Amino acid sequence: MNKLTVALPKGRLFDPAVEILEQAGLINRELDDDSRKLVLADPKEEVDFILSKAVDVQTYVEHGVADFGIAGKDILLEAGATVCEVVDLGLSKCRLVVAVPEEVGITELGQLPPTGRVATKYPNVAKEFFKKQGVQIEIVKLNGSIELAPLIGLADMIVDITSTGTTLRENDLIEIAEIAKSSARLIVNKVSYKASHERIKGIIEQVKEVVDRKNLRADFFITKGSKNPEG
Amino acid sequence: MVFDKLQRPEGTKDYLPQMAAKKRELENKVNQVFASWGYQEIITPTFEFYDLLSSGTEGLQAKMYKFFNRKGEILALRPEMTAPIARVAATELRDKPLPLRLCYQSNVFRYETPRAGRKREFYQAGIELLGIETPLGDAEVIAIATEALLASGVSNFKIDIGDVDYFTGIMEAAKMDYRSQIEVRQALSDKNFVKLEELLSDSELDSQQQEAILTAQNLRGGLEVIEQAKQLVDNQESLEALINLEEVYYDLELLGVSEYICLDLSVVRSFDYYTGIVFEGYTKDLGYTICGGGRYDKLVEKFDYPIPATGFALGIDRLLLSLENQGYQFEEASIDTLLISNCEQKGKGFSLAKKLRQAGESVELEIYERKLDKIIDYAVEKNIKRILFIGVEEENLAKSSTSIEVFGMEVKEIKLEEVAEDE
């Protein structure tokens, strides 16, 4: 059997991702993203795990140094990675949106000024989106606290992810357009997908099963209890 | 003058002597295979009119290096070889009998973000078979691709074959609009299953048609794939595509290469000029494909010469990388002789070197006047097999060399092969 290498994202996505892979039978050992060691082996299952920064997972997978990985769709879109995107894990759900300060009074794209300045962590996604809309923009790349930019006059609007909209609201920003929906995806290197097809197909199916089961349970709770599924 | 740009432009590469020798060796092997099938080399200009080059593939337009000539016409560096060869076929070779069998080894240029296996200038070797529309034409091209990979010495490779018309047939039957078809094709080519499922469930396709696409993109193997796929569709175009694929596979069996072939309907390649059979080759030791090609029956037509065509290109740089990853032993680059003569005997030395070269040896002349140990260091570093001395009287030399006669001339020789092998 060929050894497989799996790239796992450290941080927020780590625990839920590991949980899914555990249930799918791919992980049979303790994994901890605080670990100083960045390569961990599971000799029994012939799997190596690489612990990587979340934004780098698709780089490992694209180069083929990792066969599998878990990465957010927002990151995949920004990187333009050529990898097989095989399962939507339904984790870290969020949306990429365009937001402007409420006080400006703009509610849709058509009302934007002719050359707006956009602050974002996702310059490629933003450029691509506005190009398709035929709107001319200028990008200011920031690495965090994007909401700050329009408040202090650095930018006219932002492109960022939001899940509940709380951060936007707290900073008096309103969403005027959705660019894409994002969630964590199971990704596979293009050649690995072919070269180790049987094994990888098996893993994909197991992961899918785990995810479907989870979704079913979630639907059940939503319909039964909560009136606010977005919550 | 001080240079502040000592670096290469991004995405380019220097082939140092050792690597250049490997590349040349590889290209020769591949070229031999092409020639043995009757393909003749063609060389086209490095730059052409942008309009011509962009008629080939839509996907590459934004990736071309463009510039103006003094008349203000737009030129571009070729991003691939298929369009230039189609142009030659439709013009200068128009009166020649069909089929045309042409091959090339050339550098191509694409403005890409440099990343895994992608350079901005890279080398391709490939063939084009023009004027044949039968499955045997496809089979010939695929068999040559297989033989070229075998000749290169790469192991553990496979070639996946699909037929773009299978999916087109399903989508046409459902009267899906062209834009959505392109999107589906893109998702298939990217193997983006999440997107694919989204696209299909939002489309006009009925559940059986969706199933036919989703199931088929997961089928891989031998002829059983075709049997299974036939059960999934009922439209004429898809069925014809499967029968065509089946026939190509039979031909490949007869050509003796089917053990390297895998049928995979999900191979759709991203270039939009492909019209039928498409294929790509890969090895486990490299994370991306090493060759690809297929049928492009509508391309030459754009140059007013409606003939069918098929072909493939192989990435020389990627092939080199796979061979290195697999620990392949290339022939070691070496020089046969380093020749040293003292001042008085210079003429004799030169004529001996000439004779040796005519006899097929590579001979370097020692130009510096160095100490013996320095000369030996240099020769070992450069993998020179032996050193010949003419009329050199040095104490150390007498000890370490043997006297021999070469072309009737008395010389002293130090063999270095043994020394080098010990290291």
Side-chain angles (χ1 to χ4, degrees):
Chain A
M1 194 155 63
N2 273 309
K3 203 165 177 178
L4 288 180
T5 305
V6 181
L8 295 171
K10 294 205 278 189
R12 206 158 45 105
L13 194 50
F14 185 81
D15 288 331
V18 165
E19 195 190 320
I20 288 185
L21 295 184
E22 264 170 2
Q23 288 172 15
L26 195 64
I27 300 180
N28 292 294
R29 55 162 288 173
E30 282 290 303
L31 287 181
D32 183 357
D33 73 331
D34 284 338
S35 157
R36 292 262 172 142
K37 269 183 90 169
L38 297 175
V39 181
L40 303 165
D42 184 345
K44 201 177 102 234
E45 294 292 320
E46 304 233 325
V47 182
D48 278 348
F49 297 96
I50 306 176
L51 304 189
S52 125
K53 228 180 135 165
V55 289
D56 293 334
V57 166
Q58 95 286 340
T59 309
Y60 292 102
V61 175
E62 187 174 14
H63 280 65
V65 289
D67 301 286
F68 265 106
I70 288 177
K73 179 67 183 173
D74 54 334
I75 292 166
L76 294 175
L77 278 173
E78 178 61 21
T82 38
V83 293
C84 309
E85 207 179 298
V86 291
V87 185
D88 183 346
L89 299 177
L91 302 171
S92 299
K93 277 192 185 165
C94 60
R95 297 177 307 122
L96 272 156
V97 300
V98 182
V100 296
E102 204 172 355
E103 58 182 26
V104 183
I106 290 176
T107 50
E108 57 182 87
L109 282 176
Q111 302 168 326
L112 283 173
T115 49
R117 206 184 291 171
V118 181
T120 184
K121 242 197 298 194
Y122 303 90
N124 294 332
V125 173
K127 257 184 252 170
E128 190 63 23
F129 175 74
F130 283 105
K131 201 170 106 189
K132 274 196 188 138
Q133 305 296 322
V135 178
Q136 189 83 44
I137 52 148
E138 205 179 289
I139 301 260
V140 180
K141 157 101 198 215
L142 293 177
N143 292 302
S145 307
I146 314 295
E147 300 80 8
L148 192 57
L151 298 183
I152 56 166
L154 177 62
D156 303 310
M157 57 192 139
I158 65 167
V159 165
D160 204 10
I161 50 170
T162 172
S163 47
T164 56
T166 314
T167 319
L168 290 183
R169 268 194 304 277
E170 280 174 358
N171 290 289
D172 299 321
L173 295 163
I174 58 159
E175 174 189 335
I176 57 166
E178 177 182 299
I179 299 178
K181 289 193 167 57
S182 171
S183 56
R185 309 286 157 95
L186 184 67
I187 57 175
V188 183
N189 172 269
K190 284 198 150 184
V191 166
S192 305
Y193 182 79
K194 290 164 174 291
S196 319
H197 189 69
E198 281 311 309
R199 187 161 179 213
I200 282 179
K201 205 165 98 180
I203 293 171
I204 292 173
E205 268 156 27
Q206 278 162 336
V207 170
K208 245 189 198 151
E209 228 168 80
V210 174
V211 173
D212 286 347
R213 233 177 325 168
K214 274 184 83 137
N215 288 346
L216 218 69
R217 223 179 310 147
D219 286 348
F220 178 71
F221 281 121
I222 288 164
T223 43
K224 202 180 168 200
S226 163
K227 285 204 175 100
N228 179 16
E230 290 284 307
Chain B
M1 183 176 165
V2 178
F3 292 98
D4 56 359
K5 293 262 189 286
L6 280 175
Q7 291 174 336
R8 285 176 278 106
E10 220 179 333
T12 60
K13 179 177 174 166
D14 292 313
Y15 286 83
L16 301 181
Q18 247 192 349
M19 203 51 168
K22 290 179 184 177
K23 174 170 171 287
R24 179 77 67 187
E25 181 187 334
L26 193 58
E27 284 175 338
N28 286 344
K29 285 177 180 166
V30 168
N31 202 38
Q32 237 164 32
V33 173
F34 296 166
S36 72
W37 283 76
Y39 284 73
Q40 292 176 305
E41 186 171 2
I42 181 167
I43 299 172
T44 65
T46 307
F47 56 91
E48 302 220 19
F49 288 117
Y50 168 71
D51 281 352
L52 180 281
L53 294 173
S54 60
S55 67
T57 51
E58 284 184 6
L60 288 179
Q61 283 166 353
K63 293 181 179 169
M64 274 190 248
Y65 282 88
K66 292 164 222 154
F67 50 99
F68 297 108
N69 63 11
R70 291 187 180 184
K71 287 188 209 160
E73 293 162 325
I74 307 172
L75 305 172
L77 299 180
R78 58 184 175 211
E80 48 102 46
M81 286 297 288
T82 304
I85 289 179
R87 169 185 61 76
V88 177
T91 53
E92 293 153 277
L93 296 175
R94 196 173 191 130
D95 301 330
K96 295 275 184 272
L98 294 175
L100 293 169
R101 288 188 163 90
L102 301 168
C103 68
Y104 58 86
Q105 315 255 358
S106 60
N107 48 350
V108 294
F109 307 83
R110 292 181 199 167
Y111 194 88
E112 307 231 37
T113 320
R115 50 165 62 158
R118 279 196 217 160
K119 291 254 173 330
R120 290 182 175 167
E121 177 183 21
F122 57 98
Y123 293 84
Q124 288 189 329
I127 59 170
E128 311 292 348
L129 173 59
L130 300 119
I132 296 199
E133 59 183 345
T134 59
L136 187 53
D138 297 290
E140 172 170 317
V141 169
I142 295 166
I144 295 172
T146 314
E147 286 190 7
L149 288 176
L150 280 173
S152 78
V154 75
S155 53
N156 281 327
F157 71 86
K158 279 263 183 216
I159 292 184
D160 282 4
I161 315 179
D163 192 320
V164 291
D165 291 342
Y166 172 81
F167 292 107
T168 315
I170 299 170
M171 293 188 282
E172 285 286 327
K175 303 214 167 27
M176 199 173 188
D177 64 281
Y178 184 68
R179 266 184 75 139
S180 317
Q181 286 195 25
I182 295 281
E183 275 187 304
V184 169
R185 216 166 133 168
Q186 191 63 46
L188 280 165
S189 139
D190 293 347
K191 298 209 186 310
N192 185 337
F193 303 147
V194 180
K195 179 90 185 279
L196 185 64
E197 282 179 37
E198 255 174 51
L199 284 171
L200 293 181
S201 61
D202 292 346
S203 72
E204 302 89 335
L205 301 185
D206 61 37
S207 62
Q208 195 199 344
Q209 288 164 326
Q210 291 185 22
E211 190 60 28
I213 291 182
L214 287 173
T215 310
Q217 58 82 18
N218 222 348
L219 295 177
R220 284 174 57 82
L223 283 173
E224 74 280 2
V225 167
I226 292 177
E227 287 316 311
Q228 286 165 317
K230 275 183 187 164
Q231 308 304 316
L232 295 169
V233 288
D234 48 14
N235 76 78
Q236 196 60 27
E237 192 174 355
S238 298
L239 285 172
E240 273 171 20
L242 291 171
I243 292 165
N244 186 34
L245 199 54
E246 196 169 19
E247 211 158 315
V248 171
Y249 194 85
Y250 281 133
D251 286 335
L252 287 169
E253 272 182 341
L254 295 176
L255 287 162
V257 295
S258 59
E259 63 177 294
Y260 303 101
I261 305 299
C262 186
L263 293 176
D264 181 345
L265 291 170
S266 74
V267 180
V268 287
R269 312 268 317 147
S270 40
F271 289 170
D272 48 9
Y273 58 54
Y274 289 120
T275 52
I277 297 280
V278 282
F279 63 96
E280 56 194 20
Y282 56 90
T283 130
K284 268 184 196 165
D285 306 286
L286 198 67
Y288 25 90
T289 53
I290 44 181
C291 72
R295 182 163 281 287
Y296 53 97
D297 286 346
K298 300 274 178 266
L299 180 62
V300 198
E301 196 179 303
K302 288 189 185 167
F303 308 129
D304 204 19
Y305 186 36
I307 53 168
T310 163
F312 87 98
L314 191 155
I316 292 287
D317 313 77
R318 292 182 172 191
L319 194 51
L320 274 172
L321 262 177
S322 335
L323 286 165
E324 287 199 333
N325 289 351
Q326 295 183 350
Y328 177 82
Q329 290 295 319
F330 283 90
E331 274 174 41
E332 194 124 351
S334 65
I335 288 156
D336 297 316
T337 301
L338 175 65
L339 193 133
I340 297 148
S341 47
N342 78 351
C343 270
E344 292 84 61
Q345 315 244 20
K346 238 159 97 178
K348 274 191 190 170
F350 292 166
S351 76
L352 178 62
K354 195 171 179 184
K355 281 179 193 155
L356 286 169
R357 289 195 192 106
Q358 280 166 351
E361 271 192 42
S362 49
V363 183
E364 236 185 84
L365 298 172
E366 169 70 5
I367 307 276
Y368 293 126
E369 289 182 10
R370 291 184 277 201
K371 285 260 160 50
L372 181 62
D373 55 340
K374 288 270 189 288
I375 295 176
I376 292 181
D377 285 350
Y378 170 78
V380 168
E381 169 71 31
K382 238 185 130 179
N383 204 9
I384 294 173
K385 288 180 193 159
R386 65 168 178 180
I387 312 175
L388 292 184
F389 299 85
I390 300 172
V392 179
E393 303 297 336
E394 206 181 304
E395 221 176 294
N396 293 334
L397 182 58
K399 272 185 266 168
S400 45
S401 69
T402 49
S403 287
I404 59 162
E405 205 169 280
V406 186
F407 288 113
M409 203 182 291
E410 188 79 21
V411 296
K412 291 201 171 68
E413 180 188 50
I414 297 181
K415 285 203 170 199
L416 287 171
E417 266 171 302
E418 296 81 12
V419 185
E421 271 166 24
D422 287 344
E423 283 180 345

